[in-house]
Amino acid sequence: LARAGALGGAMAACGSSSTPATSSTTAATATTLTEEANVGATFVDNFNPYNSASMSGIMNMGSLFYEPLFEFNALNATEAPMPWLATAYSWNSAGTQLNITVRSGVKNSDGTAFGAADVQANFDAVFTNSAANAFGIPKQSAAPTVAGNVVTLSFASAEFTNEYSIVGNQLMIPASEISSVGVSSLATGTIANPVGPGPFMLAANGYSSSEVKTVANPNFWNGKPKVPGVDIPAYASNGAALTALENNTLDWAGNDLPNVYEDYVGKDSTTNHAYFAPGNTVTLWFNTTYGQLGDSAVRAAISQGIDRTALSEEGETGYENPATSDSGLILPAQNGYQLSNLAGDLKAGSNATAMDTLLTGDGWTAPVNWNSTSSTAVEPLCTASAPVADCWNKGGQIISFNIEDPAGYTDYAADALLISSQLQGEGINATPDLDANANTWYSDYQAGNFQTMIHWGNGGPFPFVQYDNWLDDTQPLSAGDYGSFKSTAAQTALTTLEGTNPTDTSAITSAVQSLETIMATQVPEAPLLYGADWNVYSTAHYTGWPSSSNPYINPAPNNPELPYILDHLTPVS
């Protein structure tokens, strides 16, 4: 099983073999494009895409240098994947063998050739060192082979549903860079000077602790990029990124910006735009090995105690809608899989009656003067210093945990504060733990060193993508199942879903609905919001962005879509 899944049944048989349009010569008026996908992070001189703590992962910039084999439009499950470093792929009838035809004539930014042997080296590195499996490649049953420009992968079981992880998510780096870092060190090693087949390369003296500067790769296989360079500045917070947009020093932002419609779009709607495609399910991650969070009834009660309307309106400025189903599905896009009993089963506000039923049924005693119909404003708050009687308690113990998120993620920080206030009023001691540096947050969850966190889902129109990331306990913590949830039933359903031919829609729906039931009854993650693919952009310098009228790909400035979007941009004369 793997971290991310396929994006639609129609794409499982074979990838398209068409060729992308060739980029035209850079216009004389083209300017360097400035973008950012993350805030509050400390820049480190490391672009290794296999190291999740590197710049490549934290700032979502790796695909500027290293590209996927295919690009997928996660907003349209029926659209065929777009050939990129590969031109075609095909499965055997059992779904256990995949042949990938690698594009000919590709060169790295230093002029050296990039071909099938390099693609083989990437998959072989993951086969040899499972810790390097940052992209969710399913378990291979044998080392990959190469014949001419075709790379053949073999898997231990059917992997139809995993093609996005295999050909759409993994970024390809030259075999020489893998050798330089060392396969055994690939998950933690450093690449300070990225050399790859992507459209950009690091500029001379392009790295600093406050900004990364890139220039166009003159050897790019799809023609000279129309964008002459991409700069990625460091911003301390969402508010700082909004200020840069307002000052016209930032072209493209990928985060939740406060009052963006009033403070940015409304000031000049001819050039200032925001397009927030609904792309994932934001959840409260539970570390199921921590204290009372190992109890599914406690996790379910916590979920029922959260006022999702407040998170939507106050924490997310109304840009993200409250989650309405315990299933974790992305709604309404995935309504076709929805179990009827889970449709609308989550109240938009807190549900103290359901919390009461869950906890009393699990042997917990309600706080003094608390009842499920009274106002929390007249009840004592459950805090670390409050008497045990003011909290839900069992055997002298109370339910206590923190919610860790970066302070720079101002929306998630606000959500953490709101959840803390809500739950303390319902008799549970939840406290915000806001990291001053986003790097700490990334390191903590990749090590399973947290209690709870608010985090976006992996998205995709097909439910396997998010479920596998949340529930697959066969993967290392650095790749998924960060809360160490263990469920034989979940593994069985994931395996069934992973290996079912996409043409068998009935079997796929059945497996998805098994996972919905596990989400609703075991609550390994508490759905909070339907997350936006954050995308705020200016057409002052470039046009051709993904938009509501032209949703040709996930619009956020993230891996692996970055090179595809940049290839579609045209400089303004």
Side-chain angles (χ1 to χ4, degrees):
L1 296 172
R3 181 172 64 89
L7 297 186
M11 299 182 289
C14 181
S16 169
S17 60
S18 62
T19 301
T22 301
S23 300
S24 63
T25 302
T26 304
T29 55
T31 62
T32 296
L33 185 146
T34 305
E35 66 91 359
E36 62 83 30
N38 202 351
V39 297
T42 297
F43 280 21
V44 291
D45 193 6
N46 186 359
F47 299 88
N48 178 5
Y50 285 93
N51 183 339
S52 300
S54 73
M55 288 278 287
S56 175
I58 292 177
M59 294 304 295
N60 262 303
M61 67 170 68
S63 53
L64 294 175
F65 316 108
Y66 314 113
E67 298 189 302
L69 298 170
F70 280 78
E71 292 279 8
F72 285 68
N73 183 1
L75 304 181
N76 185 349
T78 64
E79 185 175 333
M82 289 73 78
W84 213 243
L85 286 179
T87 58
Y89 64 89
S90 60
W91 289 100
N92 67 356
S93 60
T96 56
Q97 191 172 85
L98 182 65
N99 291 324
I100 302 168
T101 304
V102 180
R103 185 179 297 279
S104 300
V106 176
K107 291 184 178 181
N108 295 307
S109 55
D110 63 357
T112 58
F114 180 96
D118 297 279
V119 172
Q120 179 198 29
N122 281 267
F123 288 114
D124 187 65
V126 173
F127 172 72
T128 304
N129 178 14
S130 61
N133 192 10
F135 301 101
I137 303 302
K139 184 175 181 179
Q140 300 173 71
S141 59
T145 61
V146 62
N149 65 340
V150 176
V151 175
T152 299
L153 308 180
S154 300
F155 300 101
S157 57
E159 297 293 349
F160 288 114
T161 330
N162 249 323
E163 63 183 30
Y164 170 68
S165 296
I166 303 166
V167 300
N169 194 37
Q170 170 120 15
L171 301 183
M172 294 288 147
I173 74 175
S176 57
E177 293 211 343
I178 293 175
S179 177
S180 177
V181 176
V183 170
S184 62
S185 303
L186 200 56
T188 56
T190 295
I191 297 176
N193 182 30
V195 172
F200 296 91
M201 59 186 188
L202 201 63
N205 301 314
Y207 169 80
S208 76
S209 60
S210 60
E211 188 170 30
V212 169
K213 294 178 177 291
T214 73
V215 294
N217 173 6
N219 300 302
F220 187 47
W221 61 268
N222 199 30
K224 186 177 180 180
K226 291 174 286 187
V227 178
V230 176
D231 290 355
I232 302 97
Y235 295 112
S237 67
N238 291 343
L242 178 59
T243 299
L245 282 163
E246 293 171 337
N247 293 338
N248 203 32
T249 58
L250 178 62
D251 295 297
W252 190 14
N255 38 358
D256 179 4
L257 304 176
N259 303 312
V260 71
Y261 286 103
E262 295 85 355
D263 294 345
Y264 179 63
V265 177
K267 288 187 175 181
D268 188 350
S269 59
T270 60
T271 59
N272 302 350
H273 308 275
Y275 167 44
F276 300 148
N280 66 89
T281 307
V282 178
T283 64
L284 181 67
W285 285 358
F286 294 111
N287 185 339
T288 60
T289 68
Y290 179 79
Q292 305 297 341
L293 300 181
D295 185 338
S296 61
V298 169
R299 298 194 298 268
I302 290 167
S303 178
Q304 294 296 335
I306 295 172
D307 183 344
R308 291 163 172 81
T309 295
L311 302 187
S312 171
E313 295 178 353
E314 300 176 41
E316 303 297 328
T317 331
Y319 303 152
E320 297 185 330
N321 291 326
T324 59
S325 172
D326 274 314
S327 67
L329 293 173
I330 305 169
L331 302 177
Q334 295 174 354
N335 267 334
Y337 300 100
Q338 180 82 84
L339 281 166
S340 58
N341 65 307
L342 298 182
D345 67 313
L346 275 180
K347 289 181 63 175
S350 61
N351 189 344
T353 300
M355 174 185 278
D356 191 355
T357 300
L358 286 161
L359 290 178
T360 55
D362 197 40
W364 292 84
T365 300
V368 173
N369 299 323
W370 186 91
N371 67 73
S372 60
T373 59
S374 66
S375 168
T376 58
V378 299
E379 295 168 356
L381 295 178
C382 175
T383 64
S385 59
V388 169
D390 286 347
C391 306
W392 283 97
N393 59 89
K394 183 198 294 188
Q397 301 296 311
I398 68 171
I399 303 168
S400 182
F401 61 90
N402 66 37
I403 308 165
E404 182 181 356
D405 274 281
Y409 294 8
T410 50
D411 57 329
Y412 280 4
D415 292 337
L417 290 165
L418 287 165
I419 293 173
S420 171
S421 176
Q422 293 163 7
L423 293 181
Q424 286 183 359
E426 298 288 3
I428 292 175
N429 180 33
T431 56
D433 178 18
L434 304 182
D435 296 322
N437 191 309
N439 300 58
T440 303
W441 184 65
Y442 278 87
S443 297
D444 283 350
Y445 79 66
Q446 289 161 4
N449 180 32
F450 68 97
Q451 297 169 22
T452 71
M453 286 182 171
I454 300 167
H455 200 283
W456 56 88
N458 261 17
F462 189 65
F464 181 85
V465 180
Q466 292 197 136
Y467 285 145
D468 194 52
N469 183 239
W470 290 334
L471 306 176
D472 179 11
D473 66 21
T474 68
Q475 58 196 324
L477 287 179
S478 60
D481 188 28
Y482 305 100
S484 299
F485 176 71
K486 306 291 183 184
S487 168
T488 300
Q491 293 302 123
T492 299
L494 286 170
T495 300
T496 299
L497 187 56
E498 195 170 37
T500 300
N501 192 308
T503 60
D504 191 348
T505 56
S506 177
I508 285 178
T509 299
S510 177
V512 169
Q513 291 180 342
S514 295
L515 292 164
E516 292 178 46
T517 299
I518 291 168
M519 286 288 291
T521 57
Q522 298 298 308
V523 198
E525 320 271 336
L528 300 177
L529 301 152
Y530 296 121
D533 290 330
W534 302 115
N535 174 48
V536 183
Y537 62 97
S538 169
T539 53
H541 301 132
Y542 289 93
T543 59
W545 304 91
S547 64
S548 57
S549 61
N550 186 21
Y552 60 82
I553 204 165
N554 181 324
N558 292 334
N559 299 324
E561 295 88 1
L562 266 176
Y564 192 79
I565 295 172
L566 292 168
D567 191 59
H568 279 67
L569 299 185
T570 300
V572 174
S573 300

